[in-house]
Amino acid sequence: MKIQPLEHEKFYHIFNRGNNGINLFYDADCYYHFLRLYEKYIEPVAETYAWCLLKNHFHLLVYIKPQNEIDNRKLKYSTVEKPRIISASKQFSHLFNAYTQAINKRFKRTGSLFEKPFHRKLTTSDDYFQKLIYYIHNNPVHHGFCKNINDYPWSSYGSIISEKPTKIKRKEVIDAFYNLDNFIAYHNQNQDLFDIDGLIIE
């Protein structure tokens, strides 16, 4: 089956896990390094609405910027040669390649780290959008890493409910739930996730 490239001006749920279920993140430095590389490779081409990193998988909700809003001068590549065509899909590949190289070097391992190709799901409705954000933020609770989403450090939930500066599209996310109180209340209730059941990574 041919993998469709990420299209400009559309929302996507990007998710993937370690190859054969192996861990992607071994300690806090790994999480921080992935986020640094994410800023380097992805922020020039996409806006981020939600994210969560767990030991062996991750979830992202992103909006691919219009072509005319991408500043080519800010783009970074994991290859030496500059590509002729700027592709959001390729930028994600550069991110995963750069992170794999760093992990392989640090932990003296070889081979693939991520499953290929990475999963992408077009997000087309407001209801789906809300449930997806809820699912992403509650993933650590679902997998037993914490009892409350406030206690998990490697997701965008804390940034959204905070007033600290953030590159997350905080206002837009809160507006999707009408206000911050509703955003928090929605996240603390059990939601019917039947619509996105196929996106759950165990």
Side-chain angles (χ1 to χ4, degrees), residues 24 30 53 62 87-88 90 121 127 129 157 162 169 198:
L24 298 171
C30 293
L53 310 180
V62 300
S87 160
K90 289 284 189 184
K121 174 74 174 177
D127 183 58
F129 187 83
Y157 182 80
S162 163
K169 303 300 284 185

Side-chain angles (χ1 to χ4, degrees), residues 71-170:
D71 186 347
N72 292 359
R73 295 170 299 178
K74 294 182 178 179
L75 287 173
K76 303 294 182 182
Y77 322 102
S78 60
T79 55
V80 175
E81 190 175 340
K82 181 179 178 179
R84 285 177 292 180
I85 299 174
I86 300 305
S87 160
S89 299
K90 289 284 189 184
Q91 288 302 118
F92 275 98
S93 295
H94 290 315
L95 162 65
F96 303 142
N97 288 339
Y99 183 75
T100 297
Q101 290 170 14
I103 293 299
N104 284 356
K105 181 177 181 180
R106 180 181 171 195
F107 294 100
K108 296 179 173 58
R109 67 177 301 279
T110 58
S112 300
L113 184 63
F114 296 91
E115 286 188 350
K116 294 180 181 179
F118 65 88
H119 302 278
R120 76 286 312 264
K121 174 74 174 177
L122 190 64
T123 304
T124 56
S125 74
D126 292 342
D127 183 58
Y128 188 95
F129 187 83
Q130 285 185 330
K131 287 180 178 177
L132 187 53
I133 292 174
Y134 166 89
Y135 172 68
I136 290 173
H137 289 150
N138 272 282
N139 219 237
V141 177
H142 172 74
H143 288 284
F145 288 103
C146 59
K147 291 184 178 180
N148 190 294
I149 52 178
N150 290 290
D151 300 328
Y152 192 74
W154 307 111
S155 89
S156 53
Y157 182 80
S159 296
I160 291 171
I161 64 172
S162 163
E163 294 183 354
K164 295 179 180 178
T166 180
K167 293 183 179 179
I168 291 286
K169 303 300 284 185
R170 176 192 285 145

Side-chain angles (χ1 to χ4, degrees), residues 38-76:
Y38 183 87
E39 180 178 0
K40 177 180 178 180
Y41 290 107
I42 305 304
E43 284 190 1
V45 298
E47 295 171 345
T48 306
Y49 284 70
W51 61 270
C52 185
L53 310 180
L54 293 103
K55 281 188 176 180
N56 72 343
H57 69 281
F58 67 84
H59 294 273
L60 309 164
L61 174 55
V62 300
Y63 172 75
I64 307 302
K65 294 179 180 180
Q67 183 76 55
N68 62 3
E69 289 185 12
I70 296 174
D71 186 347
N72 292 359
R73 295 170 299 178
K74 294 182 178 179
L75 287 173
K76 303 294 182 182

